[in-house]
Amino acid sequence: MGCGSSMDTQTNPVVTEVSSEMQPRQNGAAGVLVVLSPSTYVLILINTLPFRHQNIVEQYVRLDEQISKLEGTCPGPRMATVEAWVEHLKGKHEAMLGLEGMGDAAPLRERQRETEEEVLALPNYTMGRQGDPIVANTPTKDLAQLAYNLGVIADARKASMHEDFFASLSESALHLLSIRYYGELLEHTKVRLKTLVESYAELNELYVRQDGIIAYMSGGTYMTRLEESIDEQLETARDTRDKLGSTLEQWRICGLLLRAAANSSTQALKQWRQLGRMIDPKQKLQWSLDCRSLLHASMISLEAAQLALPHVELKYISHRQVVAVKHCNTYLITDIANKARYEHTSRVFTSYESNMSKTCTWLYETFNNTLRPDFDKAEETVSRLAKTLRDHREEVFSAMRK
């Protein structure tokens, strides 16, 4: 996929005609051809371009430099990747809401409204470092009050007696938090998509303006064999760069989610350790619920990161460890009063936090040592060929004007 590769590369590699027709630009992300006749280009030139009284050659060079700079951000391939990610998150979110597979729109909307009202009954969660939504407050005041009234925070015997009951309540509350977290992640991703769509539209507009100049100067045909040869090389290089750009966005998504997961696990571990030194049961209860929400947010971020980069096995974090953390998090409220269980949970959380940090570091190091250099090398090749073609066309166009 490409972010606006300017020519189709299906031409004969052996150039036999100096004046062979230039290929239309192909929009790699959407597969849409921007095909305008030379006469249409001239009409655009006369009616919309601001260079009627300027040097057309200078205008071409300036536009080509702008295009090269914007192309380097790969808005097209990134946009296609984020569009697919939005659809994936939407499907995941709808499945959690119980909307998956429902064909009738009216019952679907009603069911979604009821479920969202239930989820929105939860207090708003705060934003973590760097704006990542990773922290949730107490799921319900009733749960906290019930745990306090039954004395499960300070009495190990009462905690053991009611642990299955509170585990069931905890599972329900965490499911609602999962729905909320995925909903927030979906909305955040839509903002990213909007930014890429705008950049992509800007790039296509520049393409049309530049094509108008080229058509005005050359009639829509290659003027030299060298021009056609360089352009074919440039399209091949762009295709390679654009594919890497799409992968780059996948790693970006995964990296941001892993960073959120690591930050959340660190905050949760700090709260858990401080909780052990508290005396007031109400304060202990509140901190335990906050800790539980932080850990759940971390695991949701980790789960989403794995979905974003499914073909990469994340080091240091195993499925078995995640299951252990989920189990401890489910029984967290009733494990506080039991010293042995509290220490066991502390070890589980400490190991998870440490491994999350290692996983996050490993991903960024792997990215910087592999994909990033490959992309930079591909972009350097595109920039070099684009400049060569720009300089050649500038020379040919200038000679024509003389």
Side-chain angles (χ1 to χ4, degrees):
M1 75 189 78
C3 62
S5 298
S6 59
M7 308 295 173
D8 190 347
T9 58
Q10 302 300 317
T11 55
N12 193 320
V14 180
V15 180
T16 56
E17 294 292 335
V18 175
S19 61
S20 57
E21 291 188 3
M22 300 178 70
Q23 300 296 321
R25 294 180 188 266
Q26 182 169 359
N27 181 321
V32 178
L33 292 178
V34 180
V35 182
L36 298 176
S37 66
S39 60
T40 306
Y41 280 132
V42 175
L43 185 62
I44 293 174
L45 182 71
I46 294 173
N47 294 330
T48 65
L49 296 181
F51 55 74
R52 281 179 291 174
H53 304 295
Q54 299 175 9
N55 187 309
I56 294 179
V57 178
E58 291 179 359
Q59 182 72 5
Y60 162 77
V61 171
R62 188 157 48 248
L63 277 172
D64 196 67
E65 289 173 345
Q66 292 176 12
I67 287 171
S68 293
K69 182 177 180 181
L70 189 53
E71 270 188 346
T73 65
C74 295
R78 287 177 180 269
M79 181 186 72
T81 298
V82 176
E83 281 178 337
W85 181 233
V86 165
E87 290 304 310
H88 192 76
L89 290 175
K90 190 182 296 182
K92 177 79 173 178
H93 191 233
E94 289 179 354
M96 297 176 75
L97 287 168
L99 305 177
E100 192 176 42
M102 295 181 65
D104 195 342
L108 187 149
R109 285 194 297 268
E110 178 63 21
R111 169 62 179 152
Q112 184 172 8
R113 183 187 63 79
E114 292 174 356
T115 309
E116 287 180 347
E117 285 178 356
E118 184 180 9
V119 174
L120 290 173
L122 301 174
N124 291 331
Y125 57 81
T126 58
M127 302 297 285
R129 283 178 286 178
Q130 301 180 356
D132 294 314
I134 58 174
V135 183
N137 290 322
T138 309
T140 62
K141 292 182 179 179
D142 292 340
L143 173 61
Q145 188 62 46
L146 182 61
Y148 177 74
N149 291 342
L150 292 176
V152 299
I153 296 296
D155 191 318
R157 185 185 62 83
K158 291 180 180 179
S160 177
M161 184 186 307
H162 299 293
E163 64 177 2
D164 290 334
F165 170 69
F166 276 97
S168 178
L169 290 177
S170 185
E171 287 177 346
S172 298
L174 292 176
H175 176 69
L176 292 178
L177 282 177
S178 297
I179 294 174
R180 183 158 203 161
Y181 290 149
Y182 268 106
E184 290 291 336
L185 179 57
L186 176 60
E187 293 306 312
H188 179 76
T189 305
K190 287 179 179 178
V191 173
R192 170 67 173 167
L193 178 59
K194 182 175 181 292
T195 300
L196 291 171
V197 167
E198 291 172 352
S199 296
Y200 188 56
E202 180 184 355
L203 180 60
N204 278 330
E205 182 181 347
L206 292 175
Y207 280 146
V208 172
R209 292 174 60 191
Q210 188 193 51
D211 284 346
I213 297 176
I214 294 174
Y216 179 75
M217 298 297 294
S218 66
T221 61
Y222 290 111
M223 303 186 68
T224 68
R225 291 188 178 93
L226 179 59
E227 179 189 10
E228 184 171 8
S229 175
I230 297 172
D231 196 45
E232 288 177 352
Q233 295 177 55
L234 178 58
E235 288 311 298
T236 300
R238 277 173 171 160
D239 184 60
T240 300
R241 188 269 317 275
D242 292 349
K243 288 177 181 176
L244 289 170
S246 177
T247 306
L248 211 69
E249 184 66 20
Q250 280 186 280
W251 281 70
R252 175 188 177 275
I253 293 169
C254 181
L256 290 175
L257 288 167
L258 280 183
R259 185 181 295 169
N263 288 344
S264 184
S265 66
T266 298
Q267 294 177 48
L269 182 59
K270 287 179 180 178
Q271 288 208 198
W272 180 253
R273 287 172 173 169
Q274 292 179 17
L275 187 149
R277 297 190 290 269
M278 293 178 180
I279 299 175
D280 181 24
K282 282 190 174 181
Q283 188 179 24
K284 267 191 174 184
L285 179 60
Q286 182 59 55
W287 279 60
S288 67
L289 291 172
D290 290 343
C291 179
R292 186 186 67 176
S293 297
L294 280 163
L295 279 166
H296 190 65
S298 175
M299 287 184 286
I300 289 295
S301 294
L302 173 60
E303 179 182 82
Q306 292 171 322
L307 292 174
L309 210 58
H311 301 301
V312 175
E313 183 178 352
L314 300 178
K315 289 187 67 175
Y316 302 110
I317 288 290
S318 66
H319 175 70
R320 183 176 180 178
Q321 183 173 42
V322 172
V323 170
V325 175
K326 286 183 178 179
H327 179 80
C328 288
N329 210 31
T330 301
Y331 285 88
L332 182 146
I333 294 174
T334 52
D335 282 353
I336 297 172
N338 187 309
K339 184 178 180 181
R341 289 190 177 185
Y342 176 83
E343 291 176 352
H344 169 73
T345 300
S346 296
R347 289 191 296 271
V348 171
F349 289 170
T350 299
S351 176
Y352 173 73
E353 190 274 340
S354 175
N355 286 347
M356 271 308 315
S357 179
K358 290 178 182 177
T359 300
C360 191
T361 300
W362 170 81
L363 186 86
Y364 277 92
E365 287 180 350
T366 302
F367 171 80
N368 289 326
N369 292 331
T370 55
L371 184 59
R372 170 54 71 182
D374 290 345
F375 177 82
D376 290 344
K377 183 178 179 181
E379 172 57 23
E380 183 181 344
T381 301
V382 171
S383 297
R384 173 175 54 79
L385 288 170
K387 186 178 187 308
T388 301
L389 182 60
R390 183 189 313 133
D391 292 344
H392 179 67
R393 281 177 172 164
E394 182 181 13
E395 181 181 352
V396 172
F397 292 166
S398 297
M400 288 176 57
R401 289 179 58 79
K402 294 177 181 178

